[in-house]
Amino acid sequence: MGMKKVKWTMRQAILGLVIGCTLFAIVTQTVVFEVVSRQQIRRESLLNNDETLQRIETELNSYIHGIIVKMQTIYNEKEMVYDMRSQGNKSRKNIRDHYWDAWHIAQKRFESSDQLLAIYVYGNNDNLISSWRKQPYNYPYDLYDTENYVNVAHLKSYLKSDDNAVMLTGYHNEAADQDVLRFVLKLHNYDAERERFGYYICDFSALNVEEIMSKYISSRDVYVWLQPQGDSAIAQVGNTTKEESKIFSELSKNIATSSEEFPEFNDEYGAFYLNSRPAEKYNLHIVMLTPQSLMMHTQSALARTLVVIALFIILVTLLLGILISGYIYRPMAQLNRTIKKIKNGDTELRAKTDGWSEELKVLGDEFNEMLDQIQHMVKEEYEAKVLMERTQYKVLQAQVNPHFLYNTLDTMSGIAASQDCTLVSGLCQSLSAIFRYSLNISDTQSTLQQEMAHVRNYLYVMDVRNGNAIKYTYRIDSDTLDDHIPRITLQPIVENALQHGLRNTRRKDKELIISASHQDDRLVITIEDNGAGMDVEAMNEQLKKADIGRIELGKSIGAMNVNARVKNVYGESYGIHYESGQDDVGTKAIIILPVVKDDEKEKSQTADSSAQTLGEVYNGDKIQSLVG
């Protein structure tokens, strides 16, 4: 006896494939990333940051040069410059007469976009010649006569040196809560001795410098600041984390305390890359801190490496998937094709139950058994549905209001006692026709001609009962007389118009109009009265629901009965709906039916028979008949 072959389950096969491919992808990606990507990312990140700092430096040099050119126009203030050069001569004009010159310089030489905050002009003895401040309450009149911190120490150190280049420094104005960028220009004679006769100070908002730096920063997580050597930072851009603030404090302190050369820094500080660049023309240094995590997301090297790895994994997975899935999914594909054929109509076909998977074998057997059961149930359901529809239609058709019969018999009794037999005879004939037509349920269909004959008999009886108080108008197109409609469709609607519309009004010109015509390949019949109106919205809502259950239980008759029978025979697009006139006067019932004709009958015969039965007079293709 041989050993029974063990078959894999679908779950085991899928899990094995997914786990194997996932482990292979994770191991491969981890090894390649650790070996190749880290150094490449670091190298390209630092290189890109250096290029960014170079672009920032270029635009800063252009900005600083423009400011210096505007400051040098102070030499065009000839009277003030002349008096500053002649401060030692007592016969010259008093130097205090130039109090407003700083204001004139601010207005003539600078623009609002320069964001100038203050101007100070001093002589050689640090005596103030002229000053101007945009916000006098936040900036001192004299830098040497204030208790607030305005970074005078670096200014004095620069004035004592032999350096004639423009000095850039700055400080944070606590009163205005604003970073200030300061330019200091030594004023001297343009001769061989270059004797100094004063100095010129302009304080600007650091916002322009910060905008220049922000233009080249791709993320607010990158932190960049501008700092002169031996001085504090004068402009900063970016958001700082707790770790980044600690690094900034350490580095800015090292730059502020260095006196001879700019300190050298490492390329990495914790989880940050560091790039720094000293400006070639001015005593400024640009320093950038970049989170390594940000560079990991933005560098093209990482993207290229990951794409190569992803393609490699895809190719390997695809190859293994093609080889393995061809074996695993062969029985499933066969079962899938069988199901599609059964769905497309081959209901006698059954699934094969052979294959490597035990689950597929059980699934095929159960599927075949289910098909057999469904086929048997469909057959039984179809037979039950046919029987139900026949029974349902007959029940709906049989729901005729018995009150009409009882009331008519009472009327006949009263008339027989008070009038001669001629009227009773006519009344009996009409009733006989009504009974024969109503109780004949062998044929569920009738013609519009027969329906109108039934309605005329009914209206004759009602006229005898009510005393000929209503005018009846018929507007029936001749080509509609042989149209087939469900039996007893019009009489219940006419009865509603009489009982609920015309009976409840006191007007003397009561009228009932019955019309029939073909519109858009449909038979449209309207029954309109000029009596009391009704709530057509509520009635139409009930007609739309067509609750057959309520009708079968005898809770709704008349229009509901007719509407339910029409929808049951022709579909939901046909039926009855009501309209009401202005001020809720008058009601119009509109019956929409398909055009169904009997091809064996001739239209000429139908028209002649209709004229004889209804006693109507043709007027073109319309029938007008007035009774009463």
Side-chain angles (χ1 to χ4, degrees):
M1 184 176 179
M3 183 179 296
K4 186 177 181 180
K5 186 178 179 180
V6 179
K7 295 184 178 181
W8 280 45
T9 64
M10 185 69 72
R11 180 180 178 86
Q12 291 171 343
I14 294 176
L15 287 178
L17 178 62
V18 172
I19 292 175
C21 293
T22 303
L23 289 177
F24 176 79
I26 292 175
V27 172
T28 303
Q29 180 175 341
T30 302
V31 173
V32 175
F33 180 80
E34 288 294 330
V35 173
V36 178
S37 300
R38 185 170 183 83
Q39 292 301 323
Q40 186 177 359
I41 293 171
R42 178 180 179 276
R43 182 169 56 254
E44 291 193 12
S45 298
L46 293 174
L47 180 62
N48 290 338
N49 289 344
D50 284 337
E51 293 176 356
T52 300
L53 294 184
Q54 185 177 1
R55 289 192 292 267
I56 293 176
E57 179 193 356
T58 301
E59 187 163 349
L60 282 177
N61 288 340
S62 177
Y63 169 76
I64 294 172
H65 177 73
I67 295 298
I68 292 176
V69 170
K70 291 181 180 180
M71 291 181 64
Q72 289 175 343
T73 58
I74 192 174
Y75 289 103
N76 294 332
E77 306 295 329
K78 297 181 179 180
E79 292 184 7
M80 183 176 68
V81 170
Y82 179 81
D83 289 342
M84 291 177 65
R85 288 171 174 168
S86 307
Q87 289 184 63
N89 191 339
K90 301 295 184 180
S91 63
R92 295 294 180 183
K93 184 193 303 182
N94 192 329
I95 203 69
R96 290 293 184 182
D97 292 341
H98 299 287
Y99 176 84
W100 293 103
D101 285 6
W103 181 82
H104 290 294
I105 293 173
Q107 297 297 318
K108 292 187 298 180
R109 309 301 181 187
F110 296 93
E111 301 174 355
S112 60
S113 60
D114 295 328
Q115 299 194 45
L116 179 64
L117 300 177
I119 292 178
Y120 301 93
V121 182
Y122 288 94
N124 278 334
N125 298 325
D126 298 334
N127 57 311
L128 182 65
I129 305 300
S130 180
S131 70
W132 169 86
R133 295 147 300 151
K134 186 177 182 179
Q135 299 176 355
Y137 48 89
N138 288 331
Y139 296 86
Y141 170 75
D142 189 344
L143 295 176
Y144 299 99
D145 186 18
T146 180
E147 296 179 358
N148 297 329
Y149 174 75
V150 291
N151 200 7
V152 175
H154 287 84
L155 174 62
K156 291 181 177 180
S157 176
Y158 164 73
L159 295 175
K160 292 178 182 180
S161 68
D162 295 330
D163 186 8
N164 289 327
V166 175
M167 183 191 76
L168 275 74
T169 183
Y171 73 99
H172 182 74
N173 189 301
E174 295 291 342
D177 192 19
Q178 191 172 33
D179 290 331
V180 178
L181 179 63
R182 174 170 293 169
F183 289 73
V184 183
L185 174 65
K186 291 180 179 179
L187 302 177
H188 54 79
N189 296 321
Y190 286 90
D191 51 19
E193 297 179 358
R194 297 181 66 84
E195 181 181 2
R196 195 184 77 180
F197 57 88
Y199 52 96
Y200 176 32
I201 301 173
C202 289
D203 286 350
F204 297 88
S205 171
L207 292 177
N208 283 342
V209 175
E210 293 174 358
E211 289 179 2
I212 292 173
M213 295 190 295
S214 298
K215 188 190 305 182
Y216 298 96
I217 303 304
S218 59
S219 173
R220 296 296 297 177
D221 293 330
V222 178
Y223 194 71
V224 183
W225 72 90
L226 193 65
Q227 185 172 2
Q229 183 179 348
D231 200 352
S232 58
I234 58 177
Q236 306 163 41
V237 174
N239 302 324
T240 59
T241 61
K242 185 177 181 180
E243 182 181 0
E244 207 168 2
S245 298
K246 182 179 179 181
I247 298 175
F248 164 73
S249 300
E250 179 182 349
L251 297 179
S252 62
K253 182 178 180 181
N254 291 339
I255 298 173
T257 55
S258 62
S259 57
E260 297 180 359
E261 295 182 358
F262 189 82
E264 295 183 359
F265 300 116
N266 298 325
D267 293 334
E268 294 184 39
Y269 277 80
F272 298 88
Y273 291 128
L274 175 67
N275 294 80
S276 61
R277 182 180 181 86
E280 296 179 359
K281 296 183 179 181
Y282 309 104
N283 179 29
L284 287 176
H285 294 81
I286 310 172
V287 187
M288 176 186 290
L289 274 177
T290 306
Q292 294 184 13
S293 59
L294 179 64
M295 304 307 295
M296 294 286 289
H297 290 293
T298 57
Q299 293 304 312
S300 59
L302 174 61
R304 289 194 298 268
T305 303
L306 293 180
V307 167
V308 172
I309 296 173
L311 290 176
F312 178 74
I313 294 175
I314 290 174
L315 290 176
V316 173
T317 305
L318 182 61
L319 179 60
L320 293 176
I322 292 174
L323 296 176
I324 299 175
S325 62
Y327 175 73
I328 294 178
Y329 285 99
R330 189 179 297 113
M332 180 62 73
Q334 186 177 8
L335 178 61
N336 186 40
R337 289 192 296 269
T338 302
I339 293 175
K340 289 182 178 179
K341 290 180 180 179
I342 295 174
K343 176 184 177 182
N344 293 332
D346 193 358
T347 57
E348 300 298 327
L349 189 63
R350 293 296 180 265
K352 295 183 179 180
T353 58
D354 57 345
W356 61 268
S357 173
E358 185 66 25
E359 286 87 349
L360 287 177
K361 184 179 184 302
V362 174
L363 180 61
D365 293 336
E366 296 295 329
F367 179 75
N368 291 336
E369 184 178 352
M370 180 184 67
L371 286 178
D372 295 336
Q373 294 179 359
I374 290 176
Q375 193 171 22
H376 180 69
M377 292 172 61
V378 167
K379 183 178 180 180
E380 291 182 347
E381 183 179 3
Y382 176 76
E383 294 175 353
K385 184 177 180 181
V386 172
L387 179 61
M388 179 65 71
E389 288 180 351
R390 291 176 180 174
T391 304
Q392 184 183 70
Y393 186 84
K394 291 179 181 285
V395 170
L396 290 174
Q397 192 179 42
Q399 291 179 357
V400 180
N401 189 352
H403 296 288
F404 167 70
L405 177 60
Y406 303 150
N407 294 336
T408 303
L409 293 176
D410 291 341
T411 304
M412 291 175 59
S413 176
I415 293 174
S418 60
Q419 299 187 14
D420 56 23
C421 295
T422 302
L423 183 59
V424 175
S425 176
L427 188 61
C428 289
Q429 291 178 3
S430 295
L431 284 175
S432 176
I434 291 174
F435 293 156
R436 284 195 302 270
Y437 188 79
S438 299
L439 298 178
N440 181 16
I441 62 175
S442 61
D443 188 3
T444 59
Q445 292 288 315
S446 181
T447 63
L448 180 60
Q449 168 189 326
Q450 295 169 339
E451 277 289 295
M452 286 302 302
H454 178 64
V455 169
R456 290 291 302 273
N457 287 324
Y458 169 76
L459 292 177
Y460 172 74
V461 173
M462 295 305 297
D463 274 347
V464 173
R465 290 183 57 199
N466 300 326
N468 299 332
I470 301 174
K471 174 184 177 182
Y472 305 109
T473 301
Y474 305 96
R475 298 171 182 171
I476 310 299
D477 287 0
S478 59
D479 58 353
T480 64
L481 292 174
D482 58 310
D483 289 357
H484 283 241
I485 65 175
R487 183 180 292 272
I488 311 184
T489 296
L490 303 184
Q491 182 269 330
I493 311 302
V494 172
E495 181 179 356
N496 283 347
L498 296 179
Q499 297 295 330
H500 305 293
L502 296 173
R503 184 178 181 180
N504 295 328
T505 182
R506 296 182 178 180
R507 60 189 306 165
K508 297 181 179 180
D509 57 341
K510 298 180 181 180
E511 183 177 10
L512 180 70
I513 303 173
I514 303 177
S515 305
S517 62
H518 289 158
Q519 299 179 16
D520 298 330
D521 296 329
R522 292 185 175 187
L523 173 61
V524 179
I525 304 172
T526 62
I527 300 173
E528 183 177 0
D529 66 78
N530 60 354
M534 63 180 294
D535 185 357
V536 295
E537 293 184 0
M539 185 62 179
N540 287 333
E541 184 67 24
Q542 295 183 26
L543 292 173
K544 185 177 180 181
K545 295 179 180 179
D547 191 350
I548 297 179
R550 287 176 52 87
I551 299 171
E552 291 176 345
L553 294 175
K555 297 180 179 179
S556 178
I557 57 175
M560 298 292 290
N561 183 300
V562 174
N563 183 67
R565 288 192 288 119
V566 169
K567 290 184 178 295
N568 184 269
V569 174
Y570 300 119
E572 292 297 324
S573 59
Y574 300 97
I576 305 174
H577 74 272
Y578 280 85
E579 296 179 359
S580 184
Q582 296 182 352
D583 300 327
D584 294 332
V585 176
T587 303
K588 178 189 291 186
I590 302 175
I591 307 172
I592 300 177
L593 300 168
V595 178
V596 181
K597 292 183 178 293
D598 188 351
D599 295 335
E600 297 179 356
K601 295 182 178 180
E602 296 295 330
K603 293 183 179 180
S604 59
Q605 296 176 357
T606 303
D608 294 341
S609 175
S610 175
Q612 293 175 3
T613 304
L614 301 179
E616 295 168 340
V617 180
Y618 284 80
N619 181 12
D621 64 341
K622 296 285 185 178
I623 300 176
Q624 299 289 335
S625 178
L626 304 180
V627 179

